[in-house]
Amino acid sequence: MRFMVEMTVNLPPGDHSALLAREREYSQRLQRDGRWEHLWRVAGRYANVSIFNVGTPDELHELVSGLPLFPYMDIRVTALAAHPSAIATEEER
């Protein structure tokens, strides 16, 4: 199941270098194992749009709530479905 996840980060002032390092490690691990397929920065904002490919909505919730920055995020999730006019392989659908 693919989901578009829009994340906006609202960190309070301060040094967050250790927190950001943990966030990078966690997110890159999910990208390497294929569950976090795409990660795009939203220009001009501390925000991203991501595509996750997971088995269930519960798995997505577990992954997203495990992000070290999760307590500082506003998150919007949209379930995605294959478009009949899209040029894509069966694996991408």
Side-chain angles (χ1 to χ4, degrees), residues 5-52:
V5 181
E6 299 169 87
M7 302 179 218
T8 300
V9 181
N10 303 296
L11 278 174
D15 179 13
H16 303 288
S17 55
L19 179 65
L20 296 173
R22 288 197 327 271
E23 180 80 8
R24 177 183 297 254
E25 186 277 326
Y26 183 86
S27 67
Q28 288 180 350
R29 186 174 67 237
L30 295 176
Q31 290 171 70
R32 285 186 191 98
D33 76 17
R35 293 182 286 177
W36 195 327
E37 291 187 331
H38 297 278
L39 174 57
W40 297 95
R41 173 177 285 174
V42 177
R45 295 179 30 215
Y46 195 176
N48 74 72
V49 175
S50 297
I51 304 297
F52 284 82

Side-chain angles (χ1 to χ4, degrees), residues 25-89:
E25 186 277 326
Y26 183 86
S27 67
Q28 288 180 350
R29 186 174 67 237
L30 295 176
Q31 290 171 70
R32 285 186 191 98
D33 76 17
R35 293 182 286 177
W36 195 327
E37 291 187 331
H38 297 278
L39 174 57
W40 297 95
R41 173 177 285 174
V42 177
R45 295 179 30 215
Y46 195 176
N48 74 72
V49 175
S50 297
I51 304 297
F52 284 82
N53 188 359
V54 295
T56 66
D58 289 332
E59 181 182 2
L60 175 68
H61 179 75
E62 181 180 327
L63 296 178
V64 171
S65 64
L67 288 163
L69 288 177
F70 179 75
Y72 307 102
M73 291 181 168
D74 293 322
I75 297 173
R76 182 176 171 183
V77 176
T78 304
L80 300 176
H83 193 287
S85 297
I87 299 172
T89 65

